[in-house]
Amino acid sequence: MALSGFIFDLDGVLIDSNPVHVAAWGQVLGGAGFRVAPDRLLGEMGKGGDKLIPSLLGDEVETARGEELRAEEAQVYATLALANGLQVSPGAQQLVAELRRRGLRLALASSSDRKQLEVAERASGVKWGALMDEVVCASDVAETKPAPDLVRRAVERLRLSPAECAILGDTPWDAQAALPAGVVAIGVTRGGNRAETLLGAGARIVYADPADLLARLDDALRVVSPGSAVLDAATLEFLMGAALRTAKQGMSQGEVPIGCVIANGAAEVMGAGHNTFNRTADRTAHAEMEAFRGVAGRLPPGARDTILVSTLEPCVMCMGAALEVAVDTVIFGLEAPADGGTARVRSPVSPESQRTRVVGGVLAKESRALFEQWLALPARNHAQEPFVRQLLSLTGRAPPLP
């Protein structure tokens, strides 16, 4: 097992608190003159109040009354939870204990604030924070889920690479937050969302509840971390170094410097490719597609631990290919704000595919430097210059025109 860290959501995962939040929000919003159906409220669970109110009532209400409504909901939630108690999800404590026994570092990442966490602990009778190595709440970040801030902060505090971590959540917002943070998401349906909803949002695998996950934990860990290599920061940079060398080879042949390598689950490079548009006049001849063609027939049948490493964020075409091939992890260097496909390609539903983990920003400065070097070449293909200049402008300051 190559997984080193595990992140838990709280509401709907460790405790059955979603119905209490729905009741609290319904009471508060109804008292303020807003009629919101319970099923509509349930669909917003997992978000922090900073996201929930604008989504339900719009930005104008958020600006005028957001803080007031959130404060009232927290009070009503505390009253209801402490009066009636909160049920612990089946297998929750046992799952935490088993993951710790296996040596994983654990974190709690909740859109609730610290006071609500204290209420949840009192009402459930479990000191969840004490069971974790790190705790991240709404007050620790600028934005709550589905923004990736909570997940990223949890990874930082665990002092791990995102590619070493998984998160357990019950809402589509957990899965959506995990994707840009580079963390594989596992879903549970106990919080009220269907498996199809969680898979569509980006969860790689879904279970009924923590007890169900615990009963199949070995299989689950193989699914979320199928390779044998620990994808720590050093391994990510080692692989990106190989992709950068491939990009330089392409540049020496008159191509835009974009390189890609494909490795197996042991982080052993199996093939490489660079952009060959100038030589082939083929607009699909991206570095990733060239690398895939280079390893065709050499990847083990049904392999799900493949690693794709590109110096530039893959486009929609290349990201779609990665999902189709069931690549485990996509690692990229420089972000491609105008053309990147990592957040634009929908999660696959066929069993032959899988939701790919995406880790960006690895040696991004080195990737950008290659584009700057390319712009200084007198023999560069000027037809590709607008693309490169736009890329550099969107990711920082573009070099001046010669």
Side-chain angles (χ1 to χ4, degrees), residues 114-200:
R114 297 276 173 173
K115 290 183 178 180
Q116 286 179 318
L117 173 57
E118 293 174 4
V119 169
E121 290 182 331
R122 290 171 58 194
S124 66
V126 179
K127 294 287 188 181
W128 298 107
L131 300 179
M132 307 290 166
D133 295 294
E134 301 292 339
V135 175
V136 182
C137 292
S139 55
D140 297 317
V141 296
E143 295 184 71
T144 61
K145 303 167 191 172
D149 301 28
L150 281 163
V151 184
R152 285 176 174 160
R153 184 62 57 84
V155 170
E156 291 171 2
R157 291 189 177 176
L158 289 173
R159 300 186 297 280
L160 297 170
S161 154
E164 298 178 79
C165 299
I167 183 172
L168 183 64
D170 67 306
T171 72
W173 322 122
D174 296 308
Q176 289 181 20
L179 178 60
V183 173
V184 168
I186 306 171
V188 291
T189 58
R190 187 172 180 83
N193 285 285
R194 299 169 59 206
E196 293 81 359
T197 299
L198 301 176
L199 292 169

Side-chain angles (χ1 to χ4, degrees), residues 215-232:
R216 295 185 278 174
L217 186 57
D218 288 333
D219 290 338
L221 294 179
R222 278 192 291 269
V223 170
V224 299
S225 186
S228 60
V230 177
L231 298 181
D232 56 17

Side-chain angles (χ1 to χ4, degrees), residues 362-373:
V362 179
L363 299 183
K365 291 182 180 179
E366 287 80 352
S367 176
R368 179 184 168 88
L370 288 182
F371 287 107
E372 293 173 343
Q373 292 173 30

